[in-house]
Amino acid sequence: VAKQTGGDGTMIFTQSIRDILERKRLIERSLISAIKAHQFELYYQPKIGGLSRQVCGYEALVRWNHPELGMLSPTEFIPIAEETGAILPLGDWILEQACQYAKRLHDLGFHNLPVAVNVSAAQLSDPGWLDRLLLTLKSTQLPAHLIELELTETQLLNDIDHSTDIITYIRSLGIKVALDDFGTGYSSLSYLRNLPLDTLKIDRSFVSHLKEGQESYDLAIIKAVTALAKQLGIALVAEGVEQPTQEKILTDIGCDQLQGYLYSKPIPAKEFLALCLRSLAAEDA
Ligand code: C2E
Ligand code: MG
Ligand code: MG
Ligand code: MG
């Protein structure tokens, strides 16, 4: 089929759209069986204390080692999983893996390293989800304060009243809640007032253009958000820190936690454990 190119290249275009749809269908079809086939894996990325410069927490980020398509990014398959409903079993699996791992780190002596897990709107609005989360905490015996759920504005605004109720309940159990990608949604400051949160994660698009000695809108926004977080008594994490100059600006402003390639990309469980042990050894030395 691909050979029948018209002089204007129309067929090539049609073919590539067909490829994209094929790929999407393949992903849709194989999502559920991939959970049972152990094709998913959690990578972990550290969060670094702005003052301590030590690992102070970490985020679980899912990867899919697809037998035909290779390593897939969550930006490609999570939206498809959300569309098809596969995010419910996949999300359960992710939470269980992350809790098991955090419990393991806890038992190795890391009593204060919470794991952050991204949660989709479909999970929040699934009536059975909360019970399954509680069961997972119980079966893994992870202390509730060692898990933080990352939600985005768009997800919360889906149904702000239900979100507020669920978040209030989750937090009453000691589980922490973070607002992810802050500043990219149709954010409004009015809902922040009513939303009980532990952490704001300012989106990396604001961090990526920070340059030393340069006043900019991004800098002004980050300063304002830092002040806001302080006032509200919630922690502020800067995402996407890649350059030492960004680190300097952010710590000067008083940002609590930093996360980004400057410290580490998301890495497999074993490597992340080694990173924690190294960081602990450096602390003791
Ligand atoms: P997110 O939760 O905002 O995660 C941050 C993303 O930025 C991650 O991409 C991470 O690898 C990337 N990142 C971290 N530091 C840097 C940096 O310094 N520079 C740049 N350029 N990027 C950086 P990733 O792993 O591809 O995940 C993308 C998104 O997919 C996540 O955004 C989250 O929305 C979603 N996602 C990932 N894992 C899960 C999951 O387990 N469940 C759900 N529901 N969504 C997930
Ligand atoms: Mg996140
Ligand atoms: Mg984010
Ligand atoms: Mg994101």
Side-chain angles (χ1 to χ4, degrees):
V1 199
K3 292 282 186 282
Q4 302 167 8
T5 44
D8 57 357
T10 318
M11 278 308 287
I12 296 171
F13 185 61
T14 327
Q15 184 64 25
S16 75
I17 286 187
R18 184 176 301 159
D19 284 350
I20 290 168
L21 289 177
E22 266 311 307
R23 189 180 164 94
K24 192 177 170 208
R25 256 183 245 121
L26 178 60
I27 289 176
E28 269 171 18
R29 270 202 314 270
S30 44
L31 263 167
I32 293 292
S33 56
I35 303 175
K36 295 191 192 89
H38 305 288
Q39 289 168 10
F40 291 102
E41 182 178 354
L42 292 191
Y43 276 34
Y44 298 100
Q45 186 182 36
K47 298 179 185 175
I48 307 295
L51 287 174
S52 72
R53 296 296 165 89
Q54 301 289 331
V55 178
C56 61
Y58 55 102
E59 179 174 1
L61 294 153
V62 67
R63 302 289 181 261
W64 183 357
N65 199 349
H66 195 287
E68 288 156 69
L69 303 174
M71 203 57 130
L72 295 182
S73 155
T75 53
E76 179 170 18
F77 65 81
I78 289 287
I80 301 177
E82 288 171 339
E83 269 172 45
T84 60
I87 192 64
L88 293 179
L90 178 58
D92 288 348
W93 181 87
I94 289 167
L95 271 165
E96 186 168 357
Q97 288 292 307
C99 289
Q100 274 174 15
Y101 186 71
K103 172 68 167 133
R104 223 176 111 213
L105 284 193
H106 171 270
D107 291 350
L108 285 168
F110 299 99
H111 293 147
N112 252 322
L113 280 191
V115 64
V117 181
N118 294 284
V119 170
S120 295
Q123 291 174 272
L124 271 195
S125 50
D126 176 52
W129 176 74
L130 198 53
D131 283 339
R132 297 199 300 275
L133 170 66
L134 297 184
L135 266 179
T136 301
L137 274 178
K138 209 170 177 187
S139 68
T140 57
Q141 296 186 298
L142 180 71
H145 73 278
L146 290 183
I147 182 161
E148 180 159 57
L149 304 178
E150 295 196 359
L151 310 164
T152 64
E153 294 164 301
T154 335
Q155 287 163 357
L156 294 179
L157 294 179
N158 229 2
D159 184 348
I160 188 71
D161 292 333
H162 177 65
S163 303
T164 307
D165 287 350
I166 266 207
I167 291 175
T168 306
Y169 181 67
I170 288 173
R171 289 189 72 242
S172 77
L173 303 170
I175 297 170
K176 291 203 274 276
V177 175
L179 189 54
D180 204 353
D181 303 346
F182 182 67
T184 57
Y186 291 98
S187 36
S188 113
L189 296 177
S190 66
Y191 75 76
L192 266 190
R193 188 176 49 201
N194 303 318
L195 214 52
L197 294 171
D198 299 277
T199 308
L200 270 188
K201 297 188 78 176
I202 190 156
D203 191 69
R204 74 161 180 267
S205 56
F206 297 102
V207 173
S208 60
H209 299 117
L210 289 182
K211 293 213 179 61
E212 185 126 53
Q214 198 174 305
E215 290 297 322
S216 65
Y217 286 117
D218 288 333
L219 181 60
I221 289 169
I222 290 183
K223 279 183 177 166
V225 173
T226 309
L228 178 73
K230 287 255 144 65
Q231 276 298 315
L232 295 173
I234 54 188
L236 184 72
V237 182
E239 302 188 303
V241 182
E242 294 182 357
Q243 314 277 339
T245 55
Q246 294 163 350
E247 172 185 73
K248 184 172 183 312
I249 293 168
L250 290 161
T251 40
D252 285 351
I253 294 172
C255 185
D256 302 302
Q257 295 176 31
L258 311 165
Q259 188 181 358
Y261 294 169
L262 179 62
Y263 311 102
S264 170
K265 291 197 164 184
I267 48 180
K270 258 193 194 151
E271 283 175 49
F272 182 74
L273 177 58
L275 183 148
C276 290
L277 292 169
R278 276 201 306 278
S279 150
L280 194 68
E283 207 177 331
D284 290 344

